[in-house]
Amino acid sequence: MSALTLTLKVALQQRVDLSPLVPERLAGKSPVEIAALELASGNRRLRVGDIFEIAGSDASELVIQGSCDRLDRIGQGMGCGRIVVDGDAGAYLGLDMRGGAIEVRGSVGAYAASRLEGGLIHIRGNAGDFLGAALAGEPRGMRGGTVIVEGSAGDRAGDRMRRGQVLIEGNAGCYCGSRMVAGTLAVLGQVGEGPGFGMRRGTLLFASPPPLLPTFNECGVFDLGFLALLVSSWRGLPGRFATLPPRTRVRRYVGDMAGGGKGEILVWV
């Protein structure tokens, strides 16, 4: 069986909610049944067949061809299978995702991987603001799983993050790891102002010295053996993190002292 492929056939004027299209909900459905599924677009309802050409039959791998940034909530609540997005994706990619894998061959909008519980999200382009973060007014962001961004991320990546790991190969915007509770966020590029603002616990790992808040205290340079194990755990992942040498020597900062001071920022030296 070939992968179930949805090819965008119209230029979208409004955003479309693709949350009904996840592998486990499409399993066993015929192309006619999939074409009849309803999708929300503003105050209207569209049929899948109104905007997509449908080919293939293996719903465990869903391919969205010609995707654009007006397609929101791709992979929301997904528990298994694989989604490949050939192009850009809109906001809320992988919201509440519990398992499986999503690969986006372009860039994504805000709140990607928000409330992620498990699985792997691989973004080959850039990510918008609030990557892996809590939604507005909610107390918890990402809770598990792994997110890899080959490009850069916007502001507030990992806001209120509780578990899991976010790996950013490019730059991160301001306040990454803000109000972080636990988990690991690593950045190979430059980091914007105020990393770790309000963080309570967790680890921020940077390749370059960040502009630190005055509420972080420097503790000196250490050889931390667990970093070799952490880097080794990335070996099977796609992207640059899988090829990093096992460096263990870092400069350590603790903070945010205004939020309990149990978080840490580690900078490779």
mmCIF file of all heavy atoms in Angstrom, residues 7 32 48 60 96 125 133 146 154 184 188 204 219 241-242 253:
data_model
loop_
_atom_site.group_PDB
_atom_site.id
_atom_site.type_symbol
_atom_site.label_atom_id
_atom_site.label_comp_id
_atom_site.label_asym_id
_atom_site.label_seq_id
_atom_site.Cartn_x
_atom_site.Cartn_y
_atom_site.Cartn_z
ATOM 1 N N THR A 7 -3.187 16.198 -1.549
ATOM 2 C CA THR A 7 -2.518 17.273 -2.291
ATOM 3 C C THR A 7 -3.424 18.495 -2.347
ATOM 4 O O THR A 7 -4.550 18.418 -2.864
ATOM 5 C CB THR A 7 -2.176 16.805 -3.713
ATOM 6 O OG1 THR A 7 -1.343 15.633 -3.633
ATOM 7 C CG2 THR A 7 -1.427 17.892 -4.465
ATOM 8 N N VAL A 32 -13.433 7.920 -0.559
ATOM 9 C CA VAL A 32 -14.729 8.625 -0.594
ATOM 10 C C VAL A 32 -15.125 9.100 0.801
ATOM 11 O O VAL A 32 -15.595 10.229 0.983
ATOM 12 C CB VAL A 32 -15.815 7.702 -1.180
ATOM 13 C CG1 VAL A 32 -17.203 8.358 -1.059
ATOM 14 C CG2 VAL A 32 -15.506 7.380 -2.641
ATOM 15 N N VAL A 48 -13.075 17.651 3.051
ATOM 16 C CA VAL A 48 -11.685 17.375 2.678
ATOM 17 C C VAL A 48 -11.537 17.371 1.161
ATOM 18 O O VAL A 48 -10.583 17.921 0.605
ATOM 19 C CB VAL A 48 -11.227 16.028 3.274
ATOM 20 C CG1 VAL A 48 -9.861 15.627 2.727
ATOM 21 C CG2 VAL A 48 -11.192 16.103 4.801
ATOM 22 N N SER A 60 -1.417 4.925 7.910
ATOM 23 C CA SER A 60 -0.387 5.021 8.953
ATOM 24 C C SER A 60 0.688 6.033 8.565
ATOM 25 O O SER A 60 1.436 6.507 9.422
ATOM 26 C CB SER A 60 0.257 3.652 9.200
ATOM 27 O OG SER A 60 0.976 3.216 8.057
ATOM 28 N N ASP A 96 -1.068 18.690 21.633
ATOM 29 C CA ASP A 96 -1.553 17.509 22.380
ATOM 30 C C ASP A 96 -1.131 16.183 21.747
ATOM 31 O O ASP A 96 -1.729 15.142 22.029
ATOM 32 C CB ASP A 96 -3.086 17.524 22.501
ATOM 33 C CG ASP A 96 -3.569 18.632 23.408
ATOM 34 O OD1 ASP A 96 -2.882 18.925 24.395
ATOM 35 O OD2 ASP A 96 -4.642 19.201 23.118
ATOM 36 N N GLY A 125 12.512 23.721 8.667
ATOM 37 C CA GLY A 125 12.629 25.177 8.539
ATOM 38 C C GLY A 125 12.650 25.848 9.906
ATOM 39 O O GLY A 125 13.261 25.350 10.848
ATOM 40 N N ALA A 133 5.368 25.554 24.056
ATOM 41 C CA ALA A 133 4.969 26.378 25.205
ATOM 42 C C ALA A 133 3.530 26.109 25.626
ATOM 43 O O ALA A 133 2.778 25.398 24.951
ATOM 44 C CB ALA A 133 5.134 27.850 24.844
ATOM 45 N N THR A 146 10.044 14.822 21.838
ATOM 46 C CA THR A 146 11.231 15.517 21.324
ATOM 47 C C THR A 146 10.844 16.394 20.150
ATOM 48 O O THR A 146 10.083 15.970 19.282
ATOM 49 C CB THR A 146 12.297 14.498 20.867
ATOM 50 O OG1 THR A 146 12.701 13.708 21.996
ATOM 51 C CG2 THR A 146 13.514 15.189 20.288
ATOM 52 N N GLY A 154 11.189 31.312 17.336
ATOM 53 C CA GLY A 154 10.824 32.652 17.773
ATOM 54 C C GLY A 154 10.966 32.818 19.283
ATOM 55 O O GLY A 154 11.704 32.093 19.949
ATOM 56 N N THR A 184 14.585 19.713 28.975
ATOM 57 C CA THR A 184 15.849 20.201 28.411
ATOM 58 C C THR A 184 15.580 20.974 27.134
ATOM 59 O O THR A 184 14.829 20.506 26.273
ATOM 60 C CB THR A 184 16.793 19.020 28.089
ATOM 61 O OG1 THR A 184 17.053 18.293 29.290
ATOM 62 C CG2 THR A 184 18.101 19.510 27.505
ATOM 63 N N LEU A 188 21.995 25.615 19.423
ATOM 64 C CA LEU A 188 23.345 25.656 18.875
ATOM 65 C C LEU A 188 23.705 27.045 18.349
ATOM 66 O O LEU A 188 24.881 27.350 18.180
ATOM 67 C CB LEU A 188 23.480 24.636 17.734
ATOM 68 C CG LEU A 188 23.288 23.173 18.132
ATOM 69 C CD1 LEU A 188 23.523 22.261 16.921
ATOM 70 C CD2 LEU A 188 24.226 22.785 19.270
ATOM 71 N N LEU A 204 18.769 24.551 30.484
ATOM 72 C CA LEU A 204 18.993 25.213 29.197
ATOM 73 C C LEU A 204 20.446 25.001 28.829
ATOM 74 O O LEU A 204 21.341 25.322 29.627
ATOM 75 C CB LEU A 204 18.673 26.708 29.295
ATOM 76 C CG LEU A 204 17.235 27.078 29.682
ATOM 77 C CD1 LEU A 204 17.097 28.598 29.821
ATOM 78 C CD2 LEU A 204 16.254 26.569 28.646
ATOM 79 N N CYS A 219 28.314 29.758 38.669
ATOM 80 C CA CYS A 219 28.861 28.781 39.632
ATOM 81 C C CYS A 219 30.238 28.266 39.223
ATOM 82 O O CYS A 219 30.814 27.431 39.926
ATOM 83 C CB CYS A 219 27.905 27.600 39.759
ATOM 84 S SG CYS A 219 26.248 28.039 40.255
ATOM 85 N N PHE A 241 22.225 17.631 15.917
ATOM 86 C CA PHE A 241 22.428 17.196 17.298
ATOM 87 C C PHE A 241 22.932 15.748 17.359
ATOM 88 O O PHE A 241 23.623 15.376 18.288
ATOM 89 C CB PHE A 241 21.143 17.351 18.103
ATOM 90 C CG PHE A 241 20.929 18.755 18.587
ATOM 91 C CD1 PHE A 241 20.224 19.670 17.816
ATOM 92 C CD2 PHE A 241 21.423 19.187 19.807
ATOM 93 C CE1 PHE A 241 20.035 20.971 18.240
ATOM 94 C CE2 PHE A 241 21.240 20.487 20.244
ATOM 95 C CZ PHE A 241 20.543 21.392 19.457
ATOM 96 N N ALA A 242 22.577 14.956 16.342
ATOM 97 C CA ALA A 242 23.014 13.553 16.322
ATOM 98 C C ALA A 242 24.499 13.419 16.049
ATOM 99 O O ALA A 242 25.076 12.355 16.275
ATOM 100 C CB ALA A 242 22.217 12.784 15.274
ATOM 101 N N TYR A 253 25.323 28.237 35.320
ATOM 102 C CA TYR A 253 24.622 29.330 35.997
ATOM 103 C C TYR A 253 23.342 28.747 36.606
ATOM 104 O O TYR A 253 22.702 27.877 35.996
ATOM 105 C CB TYR A 253 24.239 30.442 35.019
ATOM 106 C CG TYR A 253 25.406 31.017 34.248
ATOM 107 C CD1 TYR A 253 25.862 30.398 33.081
ATOM 108 C CD2 TYR A 253 26.049 32.182 34.668
ATOM 109 C CE1 TYR A 253 26.925 30.915 32.365
ATOM 110 C CE2 TYR A 253 27.117 32.709 33.953
ATOM 111 C CZ TYR A 253 27.548 32.074 32.806
ATOM 112 O OH TYR A 253 28.607 32.590 32.090
#
